Amino acid sequence: MPRTVDHRLHAHRRDAILDAAADLVATQGYADMSVQDVITRVGISKGAFYHYFGSKPALLEGLVERIAAELAGLCREIVDDPTLPAGEKLRRCFLTMTRRKARMRPLLMEMLSVWYSDSNAVVRQKLCATSSGQLVPLMARVIHEGVDERVFSVSDPLTTAGIVWGLAQNLRESLGRLLLDQSIGDPLPAMRTRIAAYTEAIERVLAMESGTLRLIDDAVVAGWVDSSLGRSR
């Protein structure tokens, strides 16, 4: 007789492992965290750990997947709100995601250099595709509503959503690499310039009124820079 799987228990234990890993990465760094550290923190056997995650890199992948799912959930709540106009939904989605990431700054700063290493290129591409699969359909809904409201002017909302999300992904990677570039004394001016350029590009893709979209709060950008400079001193 096949064994019955308790999916709620499975999800709870997996989350417990990810919670422990997130705390350890934020406090001691991904490079210094070992699988044994996670096992000890959760209080499980090595076999139980490898039942959920096949390796330390798989644990990193799990953390990124969970963050992406959380961000998609936050955006879905905004998109489903019938009281908000499309332009406001788009603005809130971008700002909500960047503000939520800012609250996870210690964890994400420690993950940043590992995430953009050449060894993680395949995983990075895979997870970017996963997040696109979650967020592009939501963005397409917003764009379709914006076309109906005559605040956007596009012929194909779904394809346009993919373009907009691709620009947002490129901006995120560009900002991350600026934070990691130790040859730049203060990356804040360059980051502001990139954000302004990508914001303008997205407004043009959607044929929005110029200056109506905000992708990220300046205070959030400054906070990331402060964290980066603090780590490099």
Side-chain angles (χ1 to χ4, degrees):
M1 182 177 180
R3 186 174 63 179
T4 301
V5 177
D6 187 331
H7 295 288
R8 286 183 298 178
L9 179 60
H10 185 278
H12 176 75
R13 285 178 176 170
R14 188 176 190 277
D15 278 340
I17 294 171
L18 290 173
D19 288 342
D23 184 59
L24 288 165
V25 170
T27 55
Q28 66 187 54
Y30 177 80
D32 292 331
M33 179 195 74
S34 68
V35 168
Q36 186 58 51
D37 291 332
V38 178
I39 289 169
T40 301
R41 176 69 66 91
V42 182
I44 58 175
S45 67
K46 186 172 291 188
F49 173 87
Y50 285 110
H51 173 73
Y52 292 94
F53 298 97
S55 64
K56 183 178 172 182
L59 190 58
L60 176 67
E61 185 176 339
L63 285 171
V64 175
E65 284 179 334
R66 187 166 73 164
I67 292 169
E70 180 183 351
L71 296 177
L74 292 172
C75 287
R76 190 172 293 106
E77 291 179 8
I78 295 168
V79 174
D80 287 342
D81 188 338
T83 67
L84 296 175
E88 180 63 12
K89 286 182 179 182
L90 186 66
R91 188 185 73 87
R92 288 196 188 187
C93 280
F94 281 122
L95 292 179
T96 296
M97 286 190 287
T98 56
R99 289 168 183 170
R100 180 67 187 104
K101 288 179 182 178
R103 290 197 292 273
M104 297 185 284
R105 190 178 292 128
L107 168 64
L108 295 180
M109 282 300 304
E110 292 295 340
M111 290 172 61
L112 201 58
S113 60
V114 181
W115 182 240
Y116 287 121
S117 67
D118 290 342
S119 61
N120 274 322
V122 174
V123 172
R124 191 165 64 247
Q125 184 177 17
K126 171 187 162 187
L127 290 178
C128 283
T130 299
S131 66
S132 295
Q134 294 174 323
L135 286 159
V136 167
L138 293 173
M139 197 161 290
R141 284 176 53 193
V142 174
I143 294 173
H144 193 282
E145 291 174 13
V147 171
D148 290 343
E149 295 169 13
R150 300 185 184 279
V151 293
F152 306 149
S153 179
V154 304
S155 59
D156 184 344
L158 182 58
T159 299
T160 304
I163 294 169
V164 170
W165 184 244
L167 287 168
Q169 295 270 53
N170 288 341
L171 174 60
R172 183 187 66 181
E173 180 164 346
S174 177
L175 296 180
R177 293 190 184 279
L178 283 172
L179 285 173
L180 293 173
D181 190 345
Q182 297 299 315
S183 68
I184 303 175
D186 180 0
L188 185 57
M191 293 176 74
R192 285 172 171 160
T193 299
R194 300 275 174 91
I195 292 167
Y198 275 88
T199 302
E200 181 182 14
I202 292 173
E203 287 177 338
R204 289 188 176 185
V205 166
L206 295 172
M208 295 177 67
E209 182 181 348
S210 178
T212 58
L213 181 62
R214 186 153 52 108
L215 298 179
I216 180 171
D217 298 310
D218 192 67
V220 170
V221 182
W224 282 104
V225 172
D226 287 344
S227 295
S228 176
L229 292 177
R231 281 163 50 87
S232 63
R233 291 190 184 108

